[in-house]
Amino acid sequence: MLEGLPPAAIYLLGALLVALLRGRARQVVALTVPVVGFANYFFITEGVHWTVTFLDFDLILGRADAWSLIFLNIFTVLSFIGVLYVIKENRAIDLSAGLLYAGSAMGVVMAGDLITLFLFWEVLTLGAALCILARGTPESGRAAYRYLLIHVVGGVVLLAGLLIHLANGGSIAFDRIELSGVGAWMIFLGFGINCAWPVLGAWLTDTYPEASVGGVIFMATFTTKTAVYELARCFPGESVLIWI
């Protein structure tokens, strides 16, 4: 039986090709990527796939279970809708940024370890910034800059939390983390910035209106939903989330 491919790889390669192609070829590739992604979904079986060893860590690019597969399915369908929405304008930056954005979100939900999660998390930030820049106005440029500042800070907070968590003997696995200790709270806060929590979520209303039309479609689909998935994975049932 054929085995599936890493969904993120399909989309990231597609984003690169779309950026290099012109005219009708660009449109064909842009539409083909989510179609291939959807077909690939049916070849992914439950379990751990695509493990890479890096600095004595086993990075898991594909942890397929009920949680990750349902998010992957939804993200794949919505990526096709997003591409379909902007395909007529055939703007390379819209299509390429959208595929990059979608692929990195899929990389996060399929990640089986915290290092892989962090790497795709940072690519997600880049994809979102490009979706804002795609509008091509001075206002969108400033909004993209502010978005990058906020989410780079969020990424630093997340990375610091991960390092503290690992230094204190915590597992690298992208699974439940007890919300106690500085490391866990910093991871929790890092997720919260992307989730647009009250007080931390001013970036959402600041940047979404400045994105291109296509950018808004993709941004409304992936960032906050990916953060909700991370919270559900790492901090399920935490009572503080009720108040947040």
Side-chain angles (χ1 to χ4, degrees):
M1 181 178 178
L2 292 174
E3 293 186 2
L5 300 171
I10 296 172
Y11 279 77
L12 298 183
L13 177 60
L16 177 61
L17 290 175
V18 164
L20 297 175
L21 294 173
R22 297 174 178 268
R24 183 59 60 87
R26 178 192 296 155
Q27 292 176 309
V28 170
V29 171
L31 279 173
T32 300
V33 169
V35 172
V36 172
F38 189 68
N40 181 66
Y41 168 83
F42 292 100
F43 290 102
I44 300 175
T45 57
E46 291 198 9
V48 173
H49 309 283
W50 319 303
T51 302
V52 178
T53 300
F54 177 71
L55 298 179
D56 295 328
F57 292 110
D58 289 329
L59 307 186
I60 301 171
L61 301 181
R63 189 258 308 274
D65 58 17
W67 268 103
S68 59
L69 288 176
I70 192 170
F71 270 81
L72 176 62
N73 182 281
I74 293 169
F75 282 179
T76 303
V77 172
L78 292 178
S79 70
F80 178 77
I81 294 173
V83 170
L84 198 63
Y85 194 84
V86 298
I87 195 70
K88 183 178 179 181
E89 285 75 18
N90 197 17
R91 298 179 68 230
I93 189 169
D94 266 335
L95 294 168
S96 186
L99 292 175
L100 178 69
Y101 200 8
S104 55
M106 294 175 193
V108 170
V109 301
M110 293 299 291
D113 66 274
L114 295 171
I115 296 176
T116 301
L117 177 150
F118 176 77
L119 293 176
F120 279 114
W121 179 278
E122 294 304 293
V123 180
L124 187 75
T125 296
L126 175 61
L130 290 174
C131 285
I132 302 168
L133 284 171
R135 189 168 182 178
T137 64
E139 291 78 13
S140 68
R142 289 190 288 270
Y145 179 70
R146 291 192 295 270
Y147 182 95
L148 281 174
L149 284 178
I150 292 170
H151 286 270
V152 166
V153 169
V156 171
V157 171
L158 176 60
L159 178 59
L162 295 179
L163 293 176
I164 294 171
H165 173 71
L166 295 175
N168 290 334
S171 171
I172 193 178
F174 179 21
D175 281 313
R176 183 183 177 92
I177 298 174
E178 192 68 31
L179 190 54
S180 61
V182 175
W185 276 101
M186 292 182 76
I187 294 171
F188 189 66
L189 179 62
F191 291 164
I193 292 173
N194 260 29
C195 203
W197 283 349
V199 181
L200 301 178
W203 61 265
L204 192 150
T205 53
D206 174 54
T207 55
Y208 278 37
E210 299 301 335
S212 66
V213 174
V216 171
I217 300 300
F218 286 103
M219 292 185 72
T221 300
F222 295 112
T223 299
T224 52
K225 285 68 175 178
T226 305
V228 167
Y229 171 84
E230 292 164 334
L231 288 168
R233 275 286 187 192
C234 290
F235 304 103
E238 292 292 346
S239 58
V240 67
L241 287 171
I242 297 173
W243 298 101
I244 294 172

